[in-house]
Amino acid sequence: MISPLAYVDPKAVIGNNVTIHPFAYIDKDVVIGDNCVIYPYASILAGTVMGKNNRVFQGAILGAEPQDFHYKGEPTRLTVGNDNIIREYVIINRATHPAGETVIGNHICMMKGTRIGHDCRVDDDCILGIDCDLSGECHIHSKAILAGRVIVKEKCRVGSWTLVKSGCRTSKDIPPYILAAHNPIMYKGINAFILRRQGFSEETIENIALAYRQVYSSGTSLENAILRIKEVVAPSPEIDYILKFFAESKMGIIATIGEGK
């Protein structure tokens, strides 16, 4: 059902069984997949391609122009997957350059007031709490949880299965499987409660904890800690992912020796 009080541009492509409530705004060159619900006063702007079964609540803006001085007005893109909950006043910016893309995965909950900057990537099954703010080119890996009012500065990453507690700010990468808290942000242990609830074995959790003891309790540099992990921790997909995350870090890792504890 599309309300006659909504604005839907003739060049928009609307799927089957889509509900668009009064006073919603659907721009040109927008694609909305089947079974989506667009609530009043939500705006879906040019360059946005949305999958199926998404709910976009009042006042949300998808595909806003990037807040980046490098943006020159070219057509750019935001891609949103399936089964997402996009709550009130969420703002998602599209990419800065035509070759780029802001990407929102599947099964993500973005709570009230969250802002996702240009060229960010949020992978599947994440939760972004009230008023979270991601600067440009951030990457939130799958199943991460950002509690309320978390600020992630440009180009930073948050690893899978990590919980970042309310009010944290980071200008560095936050590695996977951990709890991060306080300001300045720091490692507070393994996210063991969630890992157990999701079926990780005790052996796997112990190995993850052992790996992070080399990083955060050994009093050595990250480079030496990585060597120690390879020596003392049994290989596994989880340990491989941690080591890969470290190896690919360009921003540094939160609260490690030499990284500004």
Side-chain angles (χ1 to χ4, degrees):
M1 185 274 293
I2 300 177
S3 169
L5 297 178
Y7 175 79
V8 180
D9 191 278
K11 293 184 179 179
V13 177
I14 309 298
N16 297 318
N17 196 37
V18 171
T19 300
I20 302 177
H21 285 269
F23 313 116
Y25 179 87
I26 311 300
D27 206 352
K28 63 183 179 181
D29 301 323
V30 164
V31 177
I32 298 178
D34 298 345
N35 305 313
C36 288
V37 180
I38 314 299
Y39 287 96
Y41 303 105
S43 297
I44 316 297
L45 302 183
T48 301
V49 176
M50 185 186 304
K52 301 178 181 180
N53 305 314
N54 295 292
R55 299 169 69 200
V56 183
F57 282 75
Q58 289 88 338
I61 304 173
L62 275 61
E65 285 192 3
Q67 298 180 52
D68 184 348
F69 290 123
H70 294 98
Y71 179 64
K72 304 303 181 186
E74 309 98 323
T76 58
R77 184 178 177 92
L78 162 66
T79 299
V80 178
N82 305 317
D83 301 292
N84 296 297
I85 298 172
I86 302 171
R87 293 302 305 249
E88 295 84 355
Y89 306 108
V90 168
I91 298 174
I92 308 177
N93 297 110
R94 63 182 186 266
T96 294
H97 303 292
E101 187 176 20
T102 302
V103 180
I104 307 298
N106 307 303
H107 306 284
I108 297 165
C109 179
M110 290 159 272
M111 295 186 185
K112 185 275 296 179
T114 290
R115 186 186 78 88
I116 299 176
H118 66 88
D119 299 282
C120 283
R121 183 180 186 95
V122 182
D123 293 339
D124 297 348
D125 301 302
C126 290
I127 299 173
L128 277 60
I130 289 171
D131 294 333
C132 284
D133 195 321
L134 309 185
S135 298
E137 301 179 55
C138 295
H139 186 182
I140 312 301
H141 291 201
S142 62
K143 298 177 173 62
I145 301 173
L146 278 57
R149 298 176 177 85
V150 170
I151 298 173
V152 183
K153 295 188 178 179
E154 63 275 1
K155 300 183 181 180
C156 291
R157 301 176 300 152
V158 178
S160 294
W161 298 105
T162 281
L163 170 58
V164 185
K165 294 197 171 182
S166 295
C168 287
R169 303 187 304 272
T170 186
S171 58
K172 299 185 183 298
D173 292 344
I174 305 175
Y177 308 115
I178 73 165
L179 297 172
H182 303 313
N183 281 307
I185 192 170
M186 63 181 64
Y187 168 81
K188 291 296 291 182
I190 301 302
N191 194 12
F193 177 76
I194 294 295
L195 295 178
R196 288 190 182 100
R197 287 191 60 180
Q198 297 299 318
F200 284 75
S201 70
E202 288 300 319
E203 180 181 7
T204 296
I205 294 170
E206 284 298 322
N207 278 339
I208 292 170
L210 178 59
Y212 280 111
R213 284 199 290 274
Q214 313 313 309
V215 177
Y216 290 108
S217 302
S218 64
T220 189
S221 67
L222 180 61
E223 290 76 13
N224 285 335
I226 289 170
L227 294 175
R228 291 168 65 98
I229 290 170
K230 293 177 180 178
E231 290 175 0
V232 305
V233 184
S236 69
E238 293 78 17
I239 300 304
D240 289 346
Y241 172 42
I242 292 169
L243 292 172
K244 184 173 186 286
F245 190 94
F246 290 156
E248 293 177 349
S249 179
K250 298 177 181 177
M251 306 304 293
I253 302 296
I254 60 166
T256 57
I257 299 295
E259 290 288 351
K261 269 190 174 180

